[in-house]
Amino acid sequence: MTKAQLCKHMVSHFRKRARTTGGRPLHRDDAREFLAELQRLCIRELAKEGRFSISKVAKLVVETRRPRRGRDPVTGQSIVIPARRVVRARVSRLVRDAVESPP
């Protein structure tokens, strides 16, 4: 699902909800702004705390990979791949169970 498709879905969902509850509908710009702010918040928290959780969806965690030995694909020489930080996503059990269960 692209960002545009996600925004369109959120707008249509909240438009239907606004009709039934009498609330304010969500506009496409609001949905885009929400996703952009979520991304900024995620990046800031991962840099600062090393973890970011989206309740009932996933938890993002920064892990440090240790240095390891590898081979240069061109020359075949043994090289050391340096340590680096990577982001791992740990999907919630709720999502995993929903995907694993038959439709």
Side-chain angles (χ1 to χ4, degrees), residues 49-68:
E49 298 291 326
R51 62 184 180 272
F52 182 75
S53 137
I54 302 171
S55 183
K56 297 185 180 183
V57 177
K59 181 177 184 179
L60 302 176
V61 180
V62 175
E63 294 178 353
T64 303
R65 283 192 182 168
R66 58 184 191 165
R68 56 193 171 96

Side-chain angles (χ1 to χ4, degrees), residues 4 21 26 30 47 59-60 71 83 103:
T21 62
L26 183 70
D30 297 334
K59 181 177 184 179
L60 302 176
R71 291 216 173 264

Side-chain angles (χ1 to χ4, degrees), residues 69-85:
R69 300 197 57 77
R71 291 216 173 264
D72 184 345
V74 177
T75 63
Q77 286 183 325
S78 180
I79 60 172
V80 175
I81 300 169
R84 62 183 209 154
R85 293 169 41 131

Side-chain angles (χ1 to χ4, degrees), residues 2-98:
T2 65
K3 182 178 176 181
Q5 291 169 331
L6 181 58
C7 289
K8 186 177 179 181
H9 169 78
M10 297 301 279
V11 167
S12 67
H13 171 77
F14 282 102
R15 186 171 289 146
K16 291 175 191 173
R17 186 173 174 205
R19 283 188 205 130
T20 59
T21 62
R24 177 179 165 260
L26 183 70
H27 297 285
R28 187 173 290 158
D29 290 337
D30 297 334
R32 278 195 201 113
E33 183 180 344
F34 172 78
L35 291 175
E37 181 58 28
L38 182 63
Q39 180 186 15
R40 284 190 295 269
L41 178 63
C42 178
I43 292 169
R44 187 175 66 225
E45 287 298 310
L46 284 173
K48 189 170 111 182
E49 298 291 326
R51 62 184 180 272
F52 182 75
S53 137
I54 302 171
S55 183
K56 297 185 180 183
V57 177
K59 181 177 184 179
L60 302 176
V61 180
V62 175
E63 294 178 353
T64 303
R65 283 192 182 168
R66 58 184 191 165
R68 56 193 171 96
R69 300 197 57 77
R71 291 216 173 264
D72 184 345
V74 177
T75 63
Q77 286 183 325
S78 180
I79 60 172
V80 175
I81 300 169
R84 62 183 209 154
R85 293 169 41 131
V86 294
V87 178
R88 301 274 186 197
R90 297 181 181 159
V91 181
S92 74
R93 178 160 307 276
L94 182 73
V95 174
R96 278 185 293 177
D97 290 345

